[in-house]
Coordinates of all heavy atoms in Angstrom, one line a residue:
I1 N -42.5 -29.9 11.7 CA -42.9 -30.0 10.3 C -44.3 -29.3 10.1 O -44.4 -28.4 9.2 CB -43.0 -31.3 9.9 CG1 -41.6 -32.1 10.0 CG2 -43.5 -31.5 8.4 CD1 -40.5 -31.4 9.1
N2 N -45.3 -29.6 10.9 CA -46.6 -29.1 10.7 C -46.6 -27.5 10.7 O -47.4 -26.9 10.1 CB -47.5 -29.6 11.7 CG -48.2 -30.9 11.3 OD1 -48.5 -31.0 10.1 ND2 -48.3 -31.9 12.2
N3 N -45.8 -26.9 11.6 CA -45.7 -25.5 11.7 C -45.1 -24.8 10.5 O -45.3 -23.6 10.3 CB -44.9 -25.1 12.9 CG -45.6 -25.3 14.2 OD1 -46.7 -25.5 14.2 ND2 -44.8 -25.5 15.3
R4 N -44.4 -25.6 9.6 CA -43.8 -25.1 8.4 C -44.7 -25.2 7.2 O -44.4 -24.5 6.2 CB -42.5 -25.8 8.2 CG -41.4 -25.6 9.2 CD -40.2 -26.5 8.9 NE -39.3 -26.6 10.1 CZ -38.0 -26.5 10.0 NH1 -37.4 -26.2 8.8 NH2 -37.2 -26.6 11.0
L5 N -45.8 -25.9 7.4 CA -46.7 -26.1 6.2 C -47.7 -25.0 6.1 O -48.3 -24.7 7.1 CB -47.3 -27.4 6.3 CG -46.4 -28.7 6.4 CD1 -47.3 -29.9 6.5 CD2 -45.4 -28.7 5.3
V6 N -48.0 -24.4 4.9 CA -49.1 -23.6 4.7 C -50.2 -24.4 4.0 O -50.0 -24.8 2.8 CB -48.7 -22.4 3.8 CG1 -49.8 -21.5 3.5 CG2 -47.5 -21.6 4.4
Y7 N -51.2 -24.6 4.7 CA -52.3 -25.6 4.3 C -53.5 -24.9 3.7 O -54.0 -24.0 4.4 CB -52.7 -26.5 5.4 CG -53.3 -27.8 4.9 CD1 -52.6 -29.0 4.8 CD2 -54.7 -27.8 4.6 CE1 -53.3 -30.0 4.3 CE2 -55.3 -28.9 4.2 CZ -54.6 -30.0 4.0 OH -55.2 -31.2 3.4
H8 N -53.9 -25.2 2.5 CA -55.0 -24.6 1.9 C -56.2 -25.7 1.8 O -56.0 -26.6 1.0 CB -54.8 -24.1 0.5 CG -53.6 -23.1 0.4 ND1 -53.7 -21.7 0.9 CD2 -52.3 -23.3 0.0 CE1 -52.4 -21.3 0.7 NE2 -51.6 -22.2 0.2
D9 N -57.2 -25.6 2.7 CA -58.1 -26.7 2.9 C -59.3 -26.5 1.8 O -60.1 -25.5 2.0 CB -58.6 -26.5 4.4 CG -59.5 -27.8 4.6 OD1 -59.8 -28.5 3.7 OD2 -60.0 -27.8 5.8
F10 N -59.3 -27.4 0.9 CA -60.4 -27.4 -0.1 C -61.2 -28.6 0.1 O -62.2 -29.0 -0.7 CB -59.9 -27.3 -1.5 CG -59.2 -25.9 -1.8 CD1 -57.8 -26.0 -1.9 CD2 -60.0 -24.8 -2.0 CE1 -57.2 -24.7 -2.2 CE2 -59.3 -23.6 -2.3 CZ -57.8 -23.6 -2.4
F11 N -61.0 -29.4 1.3 CA -61.6 -30.6 1.5 C -63.1 -30.4 2.1 O -64.1 -30.9 1.7 CB -60.8 -31.5 2.3 CG -61.5 -32.8 2.8 CD1 -61.6 -33.8 1.9 CD2 -62.1 -32.9 4.1 CE1 -62.3 -35.1 2.3 CE2 -62.7 -34.1 4.5 CZ -62.9 -35.2 3.5
R12 N -63.1 -29.5 3.1 CA -64.3 -29.2 3.8 C -65.4 -28.5 3.0 O -66.5 -28.7 3.1 CB -64.0 -28.5 5.1 CG -63.1 -29.2 6.0 CD -62.9 -28.2 7.3 NE -61.7 -28.7 8.2 CZ -61.9 -29.7 9.0 NH1 -63.1 -30.2 9.2 NH2 -60.9 -30.1 9.7
D13 N -64.9 -27.6 2.1 CA -65.9 -26.7 1.4 C -65.3 -26.4 0.0 O -65.0 -25.3 -0.3 CB -66.1 -25.4 2.2 CG -67.2 -24.6 1.5 OD1 -68.0 -25.1 0.7 OD2 -67.2 -23.4 1.8
P14 N -65.2 -27.5 -0.8 CA -64.5 -27.3 -2.2 C -65.2 -26.3 -3.0 O -64.5 -25.7 -3.8 CB -64.7 -28.7 -2.8 CG -65.8 -29.4 -2.1 CD -65.8 -28.8 -0.7
L15 N -66.5 -26.0 -2.9 CA -67.2 -25.1 -3.7 C -67.4 -23.8 -3.1 O -68.1 -22.8 -3.6 CB -68.6 -25.7 -4.2 CG -68.6 -27.0 -5.0 CD1 -69.9 -27.4 -5.3 CD2 -67.7 -26.8 -6.2
N16 N -66.8 -23.5 -1.9 CA -67.0 -22.3 -1.1 C -68.4 -21.9 -0.9 O -68.7 -20.7 -1.0 CB -66.1 -21.2 -1.8 CG -65.9 -20.0 -0.9 OD1 -65.8 -20.1 0.3 ND2 -65.8 -18.8 -1.6
W17 N -69.2 -22.8 -0.5 CA -70.6 -22.5 -0.2 C -70.6 -21.6 1.1 O -71.6 -20.8 1.2 CB -71.4 -23.8 0.0 CG -71.7 -24.4 -1.3 CD1 -71.6 -23.9 -2.5 CD2 -72.3 -25.7 -1.4 NE1 -71.9 -24.9 -3.5 CE2 -72.4 -26.0 -2.9 CE3 -72.6 -26.8 -0.6 CZ2 -72.9 -27.2 -3.4 CZ3 -73.1 -27.9 -1.2 CH2 -73.2 -28.1 -2.5
S18 N -69.7 -21.8 2.1 CA -69.8 -21.0 3.3 C -69.2 -19.6 3.1 O -69.3 -18.9 4.0 CB -69.0 -21.7 4.4 OG -67.6 -21.9 3.9
K19 N -68.7 -19.3 1.9 CA -68.1 -18.0 1.7 C -67.1 -17.5 2.7 O -67.2 -16.3 3.2 CB -69.3 -17.0 1.6 CG -70.4 -17.3 0.5 CD -69.8 -17.3 -0.8 CE -70.9 -17.7 -1.9 NZ -70.5 -17.7 -3.3
T20 N -66.1 -18.3 3.1 CA -65.2 -18.0 4.0 C -64.1 -17.0 3.5 O -63.9 -17.1 2.3 CB -64.4 -19.3 4.6 OG1 -63.9 -20.0 3.4 CG2 -65.4 -20.1 5.3
E21 N -63.7 -16.1 4.3 CA -62.8 -15.1 3.8 C -61.5 -15.6 3.3 O -60.9 -15.1 2.4 CB -62.6 -14.1 4.8 CG -63.8 -13.3 5.2 CD -63.5 -12.3 6.3 OE1 -62.3 -12.2 6.8 OE2 -64.4 -11.6 6.7
E22 N -61.0 -16.7 4.0 CA -59.7 -17.3 3.5 C -59.7 -18.1 2.3 O -58.6 -18.3 1.7 CB -59.1 -18.1 4.7 CG -59.9 -19.4 5.0 CD -61.0 -19.2 6.0 OE1 -61.4 -18.0 6.2 OE2 -61.5 -20.1 6.6
A23 N -60.9 -18.4 1.8 CA -60.9 -19.1 0.6 C -60.5 -18.3 -0.7 O -60.7 -17.2 -0.8 CB -62.4 -19.6 0.4
F24 N -59.7 -19.1 -1.6 CA -59.3 -18.4 -2.8 C -60.5 -18.3 -3.8 O -61.2 -19.3 -4.0 CB -58.2 -19.2 -3.4 CG -56.8 -19.0 -2.8 CD1 -56.3 -19.8 -1.8 CD2 -56.1 -17.9 -3.2 CE1 -55.1 -19.7 -1.3 CE2 -54.8 -17.8 -2.7 CZ -54.4 -18.6 -1.7
P25 N -60.7 -17.1 -4.4 CA -61.6 -17.1 -5.6 C -61.3 -18.1 -6.6 O -60.1 -18.2 -7.0 CB -61.5 -15.7 -6.0 CG -60.9 -14.9 -4.9 CD -60.0 -15.9 -4.2
G26 N -62.2 -18.9 -7.0 CA -61.9 -19.9 -8.1 C -61.4 -21.2 -7.5 O -61.0 -22.1 -8.3
G27 N -61.5 -21.4 -6.2 CA -61.1 -22.6 -5.6 C -59.6 -23.1 -5.8 O -58.8 -22.2 -6.0
P28 N -59.3 -24.4 -5.9 CA -57.9 -24.8 -6.0 C -57.2 -24.2 -7.2 O -56.0 -23.9 -7.2 CB -58.0 -26.3 -6.2 CG -59.3 -26.7 -5.4 CD -60.2 -25.5 -5.8
L29 N -57.9 -24.1 -8.4 CA -57.3 -23.5 -9.6 C -57.1 -22.0 -9.3 O -55.9 -21.6 -9.8 CB -58.3 -23.6 -10.7 CG -57.7 -23.6 -12.2 CD1 -56.7 -24.8 -12.3 CD2 -58.9 -23.7 -13.2
G30 N -57.9 -21.3 -8.6 CA -57.6 -19.9 -8.3 C -56.3 -19.8 -7.4 O -55.6 -18.9 -7.6
A31 N -56.2 -20.8 -6.4 CA -55.0 -20.8 -5.6 C -53.7 -21.0 -6.4 O -52.7 -20.4 -6.2 CB -55.1 -21.9 -4.5
L32 N -53.7 -22.0 -7.3 CA -52.7 -22.1 -8.3 C -52.3 -21.0 -9.1 O -51.2 -20.6 -9.3 CB -52.9 -23.4 -9.1 CG -52.7 -24.7 -8.6 CD1 -53.2 -25.8 -9.4 CD2 -51.3 -25.0 -8.1
R33 N -53.3 -20.3 -9.6 CA -53.1 -19.1 -10.4 C -52.5 -18.0 -9.6 O -51.6 -17.2 -10.1 CB -54.4 -18.6 -11.0 CG -54.8 -19.5 -12.3 CD -56.2 -19.1 -12.8 NE -56.4 -19.9 -14.0 CZ -57.7 -20.1 -14.4 NH1 -58.8 -19.9 -13.6 NH2 -57.9 -20.8 -15.5
A34 N -52.9 -17.9 -8.3 CA -52.4 -16.9 -7.4 C -50.9 -17.1 -7.1 O -50.0 -16.2 -7.1 CB -53.1 -16.9 -6.1
M35 N -50.5 -18.4 -7.1 CA -49.1 -18.7 -6.9 C -48.2 -18.5 -8.1 O -46.9 -18.4 -8.0 CB -49.0 -20.2 -6.5 CG -49.5 -20.5 -5.2 SD -49.5 -22.2 -4.7 CE -50.5 -22.2 -3.2
C36 N -48.9 -18.2 -9.3 CA -48.1 -17.9 -10.5 C -47.5 -16.4 -10.4 O -46.6 -16.1 -11.1 CB -49.0 -17.9 -11.7 SG -49.4 -19.6 -12.2
K37 N -48.1 -15.6 -9.5 CA -47.7 -14.2 -9.4 C -46.7 -14.0 -8.2 O -46.3 -12.8 -8.0 CB -49.0 -13.4 -9.1 CG -50.0 -13.6 -10.2 CD -51.4 -12.8 -9.7 CE -52.5 -13.0 -10.7 NZ -53.7 -12.3 -10.3
R38 N -46.1 -15.0 -7.7 CA -45.1 -14.8 -6.6 C -43.8 -14.3 -7.2 O -43.5 -14.5 -8.3 CB -44.9 -16.1 -5.9 CG -44.4 -17.3 -6.8 CD -44.2 -18.5 -6.1 NE -43.0 -18.4 -5.2 CZ -41.8 -18.7 -5.6 NH1 -41.6 -19.2 -6.9 NH2 -40.7 -18.6 -4.7
T39 N -43.1 -13.5 -6.4 CA -41.8 -12.9 -6.7 C -40.7 -13.2 -5.7 O -39.7 -12.8 -5.6 CB -41.9 -11.4 -6.9 OG1 -42.4 -10.8 -5.6 CG2 -42.9 -11.1 -8.0
D40 N -41.1 -14.2 -4.8 CA -40.2 -14.6 -3.7 C -39.0 -15.4 -4.2 O -39.2 -16.4 -4.9 CB -41.0 -15.4 -2.6 CG -40.3 -15.4 -1.2 OD1 -39.1 -15.5 -1.3 OD2 -41.0 -15.2 -0.2
P41 N -37.8 -15.0 -3.7 CA -36.6 -15.8 -4.3 C -36.5 -17.2 -3.5 O -35.6 -18.0 -3.8 CB -35.4 -14.9 -3.9 CG -35.9 -14.1 -2.8 CD -37.4 -13.8 -3.0
V42 N -37.3 -17.4 -2.4 CA -37.2 -18.7 -1.6 C -37.7 -19.8 -2.4 O -38.9 -19.6 -3.1 CB -37.8 -18.5 -0.3 CG1 -37.9 -19.8 0.5 CG2 -37.3 -17.4 0.5
P43 N -37.1 -21.0 -2.6 CA -37.7 -22.1 -3.3 C -39.0 -22.5 -2.7 O -39.3 -22.4 -1.5 CB -36.7 -23.2 -3.1 CG -35.4 -22.5 -2.8 CD -35.8 -21.2 -2.0
V44 N -40.0 -22.8 -3.6 CA -41.3 -23.3 -3.0 C -41.6 -24.7 -3.6 O -41.2 -25.0 -4.7 CB -42.3 -22.2 -3.6 CG1 -43.8 -22.7 -3.5 CG2 -42.1 -20.9 -3.0
T45 N -42.3 -25.4 -2.6 CA -42.9 -26.7 -3.1 C -44.4 -26.6 -2.9 O -44.9 -26.1 -1.9 CB -42.3 -27.9 -2.2 OG1 -41.0 -28.0 -2.4 CG2 -43.0 -29.1 -2.4
I46 N -45.2 -27.0 -3.9 CA -46.6 -27.0 -3.9 C -47.1 -28.5 -4.1 O -46.7 -29.1 -5.0 CB -47.2 -26.1 -5.0 CG1 -46.7 -24.7 -5.0 CG2 -48.7 -26.2 -4.9 CD1 -46.9 -23.9 -6.2

């Protein structure tokens, strides 16, 4: 199960103070907005 999950960690650094490359611009809201642009036919659970 764990190998199938795509985890976006906003717990350790919610404001992106560390400026990590994997962080979404705009934090969790930015991540949600990025998911609005998907075109994949596979069902998705968020």
Side-chain angles (χ1 to χ4, degrees):
I1 298 297
N2 275 320
N3 289 337
R4 299 174 190 225
L5 306 182
V6 180
Y7 200 94
H8 307 284
D9 187 358
F10 295 103
F11 175 77
R12 298 182 191 277
D13 185 18
L15 300 179
N16 194 27
W17 286 348
S18 61
K19 304 297 181 183
T20 54
E21 294 180 0
E22 65 271 18
F24 280 95
L29 203 61
L32 282 172
R33 285 176 172 144
M35 292 176 188
C36 290
K37 301 175 183 178
R38 56 180 291 270
T39 58
D40 200 318
V42 177
V44 169
T45 294
I46 303 168

